């Protein structure tokens, strides 16, 4: 009788391990599905983020020197050499360390107004 009891016990243990294994496989499949869904969402959000950054970059005004037109760049160079480029005092010498709001407006102001 003890042999029967031990084989029944062995079968119960095997059935229990089998159930635990099936539960584990089921949980692993659920985790895998969640990982796939999160990975897909991550890729979608990364693509969307890239597009939004590109749109923001395109919408922001560029204030760098390279964005000035050729004629405005020439005016800037003349101004840096010490000459007025505004219509009020065009061609006159700037005093040392003098700045002119009219000249700066002629170089940078109108172009900024046009892009808005």
């Amino acid at each position: 009788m003890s042999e029967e009891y031990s084989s029944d016990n062995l079968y119960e243990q095997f059935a229990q391990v089998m159930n635990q294994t099936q539960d584990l496989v089921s949980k692993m499949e659920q985790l895998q599905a969640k990982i796939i869904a999160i990975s897909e969402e991550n890729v979608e959000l990364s693509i969307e983020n890239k597009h939004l950054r590109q749109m923001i970059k395109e919408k922001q005004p560029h204030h760098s020197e390279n964005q000035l037109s050729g004629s405005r760049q020439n005016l800037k160079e003349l101004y840096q050499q010490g000459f007025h480029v505004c219509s009020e005092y065009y061609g006159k010498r700037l005093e040392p360390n003098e700045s002119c709001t009219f000249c700066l407006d002629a170089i940078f102001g109108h172009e900024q107004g046009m892009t808005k």
Side-chain angles (χ1 to χ4, degrees), residues 90-106:
Y90 186 81
K92 293 183 180 177
R93 268 259 185 224
L94 288 162
E95 295 295 323
N97 297 323
E98 178 187 9
S99 64
C100 176
T101 304
F102 299 121
C103 290
L104 294 175
D105 189 48

Side-chain angles (χ1 to χ4, degrees), residues 1 15 28 31 43 54-55 58 61-62 71 82 84 101 103 109:
M1 184 104 170
M28 289 176 65
L31 281 174
V43 168
Q54 186 175 356
M55 288 176 61
E58 290 172 0
H62 301 287
S71 58
H84 280 277
T101 304
C103 290

Side-chain angles (χ1 to χ4, degrees), residues 5-116:
Y5 178 74
S6 92
S7 65
D8 286 343
N9 189 21
L10 187 61
Y11 179 77
E12 286 177 21
Q13 287 179 353
F14 180 76
Q16 188 178 23
V17 169
M18 196 66 158
N19 286 335
Q20 289 173 346
T21 303
Q22 288 173 346
D23 287 344
L24 184 61
V25 168
S26 175
K27 288 178 183 179
M28 289 176 65
E29 288 172 347
Q30 291 172 0
L31 281 174
Q32 183 181 22
K34 288 179 182 179
I35 289 172
I36 289 172
I38 289 171
S39 296
E40 289 173 352
E41 183 181 14
N42 188 24
V43 168
E44 289 174 10
L45 290 173
S46 294
I47 292 170
E48 183 179 0
N49 192 7
K50 183 179 177 182
H51 288 293
L52 289 173
R53 287 181 189 273
Q54 186 175 356
M55 288 176 61
I56 289 171
K57 188 176 180 181
E58 290 172 0
K59 297 286 183 186
Q60 288 179 340
H62 301 287
H63 296 289
S64 68
E65 293 178 11
N66 297 335
Q67 297 301 321
L68 292 175
S69 65
S71 58
R72 290 186 185 272
Q73 189 67 37
N74 289 337
L75 290 175
K76 183 179 178 188
E77 289 174 20
L78 285 171
Y79 181 74
Q80 288 174 340
Q81 291 173 9
F83 296 98
H84 280 277
V85 293
C86 60
S87 60
E88 189 79 22
Y89 304 108
Y90 186 81
K92 293 183 180 177
R93 268 259 185 224
L94 288 162
E95 295 295 323
N97 297 323
E98 178 187 9
S99 64
C100 176
T101 304
F102 299 121
C103 290
L104 294 175
D105 189 48
I107 297 169
F108 300 106
H110 297 291
E111 191 161 295
Q112 289 175 355
M114 293 171 75
T115 58
K116 288 184 180 176

